[in-house]
Amino acid sequence: MARGTLRIYLGAAPGVGKTYAMLSEAHRRVERGTDCVVAFVEHHHRPRTEVMLHGLEQLPRREIEYRGGSFTEMDVDAVLRRAPKVALVDELAHTNMPGSRNTKRWQDVEELLAAGIDVISTVNIQHLESLGDVVESITGVRQRETVPDEVVRRADQIELVDMSPQALRRRMAHGNIYKPDKVDAALSNYFRPGNLTALRELALLWVADRVDAHLTEYRSEHHVSAIWGSRERIVVGLTGGPEGRTLIRRAARLAEKGAGGEVMAVYISRSDGLTAVSPKELALQRTLVEDLGGTFHQVVGDDIPAALLDFARGANATQIVLGVSRRRSWQYVFGPGVGATVARESGPDLDVHLITHAEVGKGRGLPVARGARLGRSRVISGWLAGVLGPLLLTWLLKSVVPDIGLANHMLLFLTLTVAAALLGGLLPALASAVVGSTLLNWFFTPPVHTLTVADPQNIVAIVVFVGVAVAVASVVDLAARRTHQAARLRAESEILSFLAGNVLRGETGLEDLLERVRETFGMESVALLERAGEKDPWTCAGSVGPRPATTPDAADVDVPVGDHMALSLCGRVLPAADRRVLAAFAAQAAVVVDRRRLKGEADRAEELAEGNRIRTALLAAVSHDLRTPLAGIKAAVTSLRSDDVEWSEEDQAELLEAIEEGADRLDHLVGNLLDMSRLQTGTVTPIIRETDLDEVVPMALGAVPEDSVDLDVPESLPMVGVDRGLLERSVANIVENAVKYSPPGERVLVSASAMADRVEIRVVDRGPGVPDEVKDRIFEPFQRYGDAPRGDGVGLGLAVARGFAEAIGGTLHAEDTPGGGLTMVLAVRTAPGRRRKRPDVSPAVTS
């Protein structure tokens, strides 16, 4: 079955006409012959909306009784049985009454869509979950009913129902939205012009973003490469230099000239990761563009103009802002530069702005060395092999093995050149070629001891030697550099993979991560510093190693993480090539700190929520469950004290019995409340003693009718190590709960049996039972499963029973009774090495 389609009418505020527009659409569809029904529409007694319901089939609603009142909700089962083509469901963010099929109405709608029914619904912008904080800051009202943004985004159609604030306020003043007695309060609070304007802007921007997402998806599906200038998108090309801030501000001014302009700053890094830019400067520029409402992007590309144009076309940009080149005049012999290339290749649909700045013509500084970082000892070895090696070889050839031929001499000198390249790189190899060719000419090429060459063939041989030496040295040096780069990239990839795995798994403490940074980069100490604001002092969130830096300025290397956090390293200055991986470590450290802080806040929020829930339940218990027996006691006492009625002895006895029963119920309820408070505060101190179960369990049955329980506790059971009082209270609560839910005439079975090193007490009832998914939930405080009548307790009996069972080292869980019902299994430990020996008597005792 195909999934149904969802159409949503989105409004900025109540009263803009969402429901009216939905009903109008329904009438149009009915006129076209579409099977359309009203599943749930709330007209709020607005006459014009109510009139629109005429002529439409309305499905009956489901009535729900809650806290003494009667409420109606959408009957999902009725809609599924009716199976219309289109169903109208108003107020998508509505929270259903307790006892409904689903918690939220949008979940009801999901069921209808899954059944192949098309749904038309309505929602206000303030009910979107992601905008809750924004709406609260605007209106001062926190929206309790929300719908996840993803539910609305998945809609097949979203239609904005728009109205100006002035028109909406006039509609309000005319009484078309609220009743006359509420109009003045609404106009002076929620429906103020500023509030309505801000909400309207939120709705327009949200819909515009969705339209933009659809446009991007369409362009991607249809492979549209041409730029569609639906709105101004300005790409700022950054080099990492100080002129970037000037370019970003200029682009922001350009974006302000057009409605809905967007600024995207992009920095293009080379694929080998080598860069001479300052990470701190890039961080400042990122912060600046985000403060101005833009976004920062970093892409990889060796051909900078091509990468910049690809990014601009992919983002459907309309303008590119670049700075005039910083190169000096003579450097233009190497090419026209990025700005000129981008302008030439941009095409007619993409404007390019070249912005002047204070850094024009000042040069880019020395180029970044692309050679491998071979280390001082290796470079020295290369120079020794390239300079002293030919001298030593010449001495050996002249004194030890003379007259082996010019060709062999050249091969030996070429071997030294290759060795110099392998050890020290290109420059020692070139020096070796120059020194070697000179020595060959002087000592081994006729006429010797002169720099002239008599035989033209020897001239060619020396030239070929120099050429081969240079070529071989270049190839060997290139191979060495590539090998070093591959090894470095492999190490970087392993480190980044380690960090990515930690992010996904949520592992690694802050100190472990900082220690990994210290070991990876060979630093003395590493510290993560943070501060609340620009003028606040730095504090240390975590550190490893001796004498960590207390401020970023005191560190040898510092990597900023956002505005108020920095990773500071002491020990040595790191090259720019290492900062990419270091930035990843810094970002991960910030994530660890944020995760730790959020976890702490979540734990505190959970504690507060649990406390609020218990306080709320306790208030409900005090307000109803405790007042009910009090009311009975007071009524009986008032009757006894009345002078207007002569009570017979039977009546007086009945009233006194009612007082006694109410007092017993109060005592039981207060006892459970006190027991629960003792458990939660940890003040329960069990006194473990060897105990006979047949002495404890019968004592726990005093609060239930004598004919309601069958007791089966064999006298041959081993003794158990428990606190007698706590065990008795636990069993009493379990049995009372079982008796309460057992059908009339059905007796509860309490049996005990020994298994290995424990004894199990089973309390078996034939009541309605409990589904598997709520078996653990019934042991939570203030939880009463099903439709238990009010006044029968506060839902603490089983919670207290499990708490006492765990306090004495036992367990309590629920199982299904074969044939229907629920079995509570209380397991306690046997006393070590003690098993009673009694005469063989009947194992069953019936009470």
Side-chain angles (χ1 to χ4, degrees):
M1 179 182 295
R3 180 180 171 87
T5 61
L6 175 62
R7 178 170 182 171
I8 293 178
Y9 286 92
L10 177 68
V16 296
K18 304 180 301 300
T19 305
Y20 190 93
M22 178 179 67
L23 294 173
S24 299
E25 175 64 20
H27 280 287
R28 286 192 293 269
R29 297 198 181 199
V30 169
E31 291 174 0
R32 294 197 299 265
T34 304
D35 182 14
C36 184
V37 302
V38 176
F40 190 98
V41 168
E42 188 62 69
H43 54 72
H44 298 290
H45 303 289
R46 296 168 186 167
R48 297 187 179 182
T49 305
E50 192 172 0
V51 169
M52 293 296 294
L53 287 170
H54 297 167
L56 297 176
E57 178 184 353
Q58 301 184 50
L59 297 182
R61 301 183 182 183
R62 181 187 177 191
E63 293 189 2
I64 298 176
E65 299 292 332
Y66 182 67
R67 293 185 176 180
S70 180
F71 304 89
T72 61
E73 295 287 359
M74 181 175 68
D75 193 336
V76 180
D77 292 326
V79 181
L80 294 175
R81 287 193 301 269
R82 173 63 175 77
K85 174 61 178 174
V86 180
L88 307 185
V89 182
D90 205 4
E91 298 179 355
L92 186 64
H94 172 73
T95 301
N96 295 328
M97 295 298 299
S100 300
R101 184 189 187 101
N102 295 301
T103 304
K104 305 288 287 187
R105 184 165 293 165
W106 65 263
Q107 295 171 324
D108 297 336
V109 169
E110 288 293 323
E111 286 197 40
L112 301 183
L113 295 173
I117 300 174
D118 296 343
V119 176
I120 304 178
S121 188
T122 65
V123 71
N124 282 329
I125 192 67
Q126 66 264 29
H127 294 299
L128 295 184
E129 200 167 77
S130 65
L131 299 178
D133 295 337
V134 179
V135 172
E136 183 180 10
S137 66
I138 295 172
T139 63
V141 178
R142 182 67 179 183
Q143 298 296 328
R144 301 300 177 187
E145 294 187 329
T146 60
V147 58
D149 290 46
E150 185 59 27
V151 174
V152 182
R153 289 184 183 277
R154 286 201 307 263
D156 299 273
Q157 296 182 58
I158 297 179
E159 183 170 333
L160 178 65
V161 182
D162 188 31
M163 177 176 289
S164 68
Q166 294 77 13
L168 183 57
R169 284 172 59 82
R170 283 197 302 271
R171 178 179 288 184
M172 172 71 72
H174 293 159
N176 295 330
I177 300 177
Y178 292 160
K179 293 182 178 180
D181 58 339
K182 297 182 179 180
V183 169
D184 291 339
L187 289 176
S188 59
N189 291 285
Y190 192 89
F191 284 82
R192 295 196 302 268
N195 290 356
L196 297 178
T197 302
L199 292 173
R200 187 187 188 198
E201 183 181 17
L202 279 179
L204 292 171
L205 290 176
W206 196 92
V207 174
D209 286 340
R210 175 164 174 85
V211 172
D212 188 51
H214 277 301
L215 178 61
T216 302
E217 181 180 354
Y218 178 86
R219 283 166 50 84
S220 176
E221 291 177 353
H222 293 78
H223 307 289
V224 178
S225 59
I227 293 175
W228 291 356
S230 53
R231 65 171 176 170
E232 293 294 338
R233 287 187 177 87
I234 303 174
V235 171
V236 185
L238 301 178
T239 65
E243 76 280 0
R245 283 172 275 179
T246 301
L247 304 183
I248 292 171
R249 293 188 180 95
R250 178 60 174 160
R253 290 196 296 271
L254 289 174
E256 290 175 357
K257 295 180 179 179
E262 181 180 357
V263 175
M264 294 174 287
V266 57
Y267 170 72
I268 300 173
S269 59
R270 296 185 180 277
S271 58
D272 57 11
L274 298 173
T275 176
V277 304
S278 167
K280 185 175 295 186
E281 180 63 33
L282 272 184
L284 291 174
Q285 294 177 15
R286 175 194 290 268
T287 302
L288 176 60
V289 70
E290 291 175 351
D291 289 343
L292 293 174
T295 56
F296 183 90
H297 308 268
Q298 185 166 345
V299 299
V300 178
D302 292 320
D303 188 345
I304 293 178
L308 185 61
L309 288 171
D310 289 342
F311 176 85
R313 292 193 174 100
N316 199 29
T318 57
Q319 302 180 54
I320 295 179
V321 173
L322 298 174
V324 175
S325 178
R326 288 182 292 164
R327 295 193 298 177
R328 301 184 187 278
S329 301
W330 61 270
Q331 291 177 308
Y332 282 97
V333 299
F334 299 107
V338 174
T341 304
V342 170
R344 185 180 67 247
E345 303 293 337
S346 62
D349 53 357
L350 190 59
D351 297 333
V352 179
H353 302 267
L354 292 180
I355 308 300
T356 58
H357 50 83
E359 304 297 321
V360 173
K362 292 186 178 180
R364 292 182 174 272
L366 294 177
V368 178
R370 291 182 173 270
R373 291 170 51 203
L374 302 175
R376 174 179 291 184
S377 60
R378 186 169 172 179
V379 172
I380 292 175
S381 300
W383 279 104
L384 291 176
V387 177
L388 298 182
L391 297 175
L392 181 60
L393 179 61
T394 300
W395 177 80
L396 291 173
L397 291 176
K398 295 296 289 184
S399 60
V400 180
V401 284
D403 300 330
I404 61 174
L406 181 61
N408 291 327
H409 293 158
M410 289 185 176
L411 288 177
L412 292 173
F413 278 98
L414 184 60
T415 302
L416 281 177
T417 302
V418 173
L422 289 173
L423 290 173
L426 182 59
L427 292 180
L430 294 178
S432 177
V434 173
V435 174
S437 62
T438 303
L439 294 175
L440 276 173
N441 190 1
W442 184 267
F443 288 103
F444 303 104
T445 304
V448 295
H449 303 129
T450 65
L451 294 179
T452 60
V453 179
D455 190 348
Q457 293 182 355
N458 292 335
I459 297 176
V460 174
I462 292 176
V463 172
V464 171
F465 164 77
V466 174
V468 171
V470 172
V472 170
S474 300
V475 172
V476 171
D477 176 71
L478 179 62
R481 286 193 289 113
R482 289 293 183 258
T483 301
H484 176 79
Q485 289 175 1
R488 178 181 179 82
L489 291 175
R490 178 181 178 183
E492 289 183 1
S493 65
E494 291 176 354
I495 293 173
L496 295 176
S497 176
F498 162 78
L499 291 175
N502 289 335
V503 171
L504 295 176
R505 295 188 299 269
E507 299 176 353
T508 301
L510 179 60
E511 286 70 22
D512 295 334
L513 184 65
L514 296 180
E515 181 62 30
R516 181 66 181 262
V517 174
R518 192 173 72 89
E519 294 176 355
T520 300
F521 296 98
M523 307 300 286
E524 293 181 1
S525 64
V526 180
L528 183 67
L529 306 177
E530 62 178 348
R531 60 181 178 179
E534 294 292 341
K535 298 182 180 179
D536 294 314
W538 290 95
T539 59
C540 182
S543 65
V544 294
R547 298 181 300 278
T550 56
T551 63
D553 295 335
D556 294 313
V557 179
D558 73 285
V559 179
V561 187
D563 295 335
H564 308 303
M565 191 175 291
L567 185 66
S568 301
L569 295 82
C570 295
R572 62 189 179 92
V573 178
L574 294 177
D578 288 339
R579 290 181 177 267
R580 179 175 59 176
V581 177
L582 190 57
F585 271 112
Q588 173 65 359
V591 169
V592 171
V593 172
D594 290 341
R595 185 189 297 124
R596 185 170 62 184
R597 184 179 294 113
L598 290 175
K599 185 178 184 303
E601 293 177 356
D603 292 341
R604 288 192 295 272
E606 185 176 356
E607 292 175 1
L608 292 174
E610 179 66 15
N612 288 334
R613 188 180 67 82
I614 292 178
R615 282 192 292 270
T616 302
L618 180 59
L619 180 61
V622 172
S623 64
H624 190 285
D625 296 298
L626 295 182
R627 291 180 63 185
T628 300
L630 280 176
I633 293 173
K634 182 173 179 57
V637 171
T638 302
S639 300
L640 288 173
R641 296 186 60 187
S642 176
D643 298 331
D644 300 334
V645 181
E646 289 289 338
W647 300 103
S648 64
E649 292 184 359
E650 292 79 4
D651 292 336
Q652 291 179 3
E654 184 176 350
L655 291 172
L656 289 173
E657 183 180 1
I659 294 173
E660 184 178 10
E661 289 179 356
D664 290 340
R665 285 176 59 190
L666 274 178
D667 179 67
H668 180 71
L669 292 173
V670 173
N672 276 337
L673 288 172
L674 293 176
D675 290 338
M676 197 68 233
S677 66
R678 291 169 60 203
L679 288 170
Q680 290 185 338
T681 56
T683 57
V684 176
T685 305
I687 301 175
I688 306 299
R689 293 192 178 95
E690 296 177 354
T691 305
D692 295 333
L693 281 183
D694 59 357
E695 296 177 359
V696 177
V697 175
M699 300 295 294
L701 309 182
V704 297
E706 294 183 359
D707 59 348
S708 61
V709 178
D710 288 338
L711 186 62
D712 180 8
V713 181
E715 294 183 355
S716 59
L717 289 175
M719 301 182 75
V720 294
V722 296
D723 183 301
R724 292 191 55 168
L726 297 183
L727 178 61
E728 181 181 335
R729 294 282 296 136
S730 182
V731 174
N733 282 349
I734 298 171
V735 173
E736 290 175 17
N737 185 78
V739 171
K740 182 193 309 181
Y741 286 97
S742 293
E746 291 285 348
R747 298 162 72 95
V748 172
L749 173 63
V750 180
S751 63
S753 59
M755 298 184 63
D757 60 345
R758 70 184 189 276
V759 174
E760 289 187 350
I761 303 172
R762 292 179 170 266
V763 180
V764 183
D765 68 57
R766 294 292 179 179
V770 174
D772 292 337
E773 60 270 16
V774 297
K775 279 188 170 64
D776 284 334
R777 210 159 63 234
I778 61 176
F779 294 102
E780 297 177 2
F782 304 104
Q783 296 293 319
R784 303 192 309 166
Y785 175 73
D787 298 326
R790 301 291 293 180
D792 283 0
V794 294
L796 287 177
L798 294 181
V800 170
R802 172 174 274 189
F804 283 167
E806 293 175 349
I808 61 177
T811 60
L812 176 62
H813 66 277
E815 297 178 354
D816 290 329
T817 301
L822 191 69
T823 297
M824 293 290 177
V825 182
L826 173 60
V828 294
R829 292 175 296 184
T830 58
R834 296 296 302 272
R835 185 179 184 87
R836 295 183 305 169
K837 294 182 179 179
R838 293 180 177 267
D840 189 11
V841 296
S842 177
V845 179
T846 301
S847 171

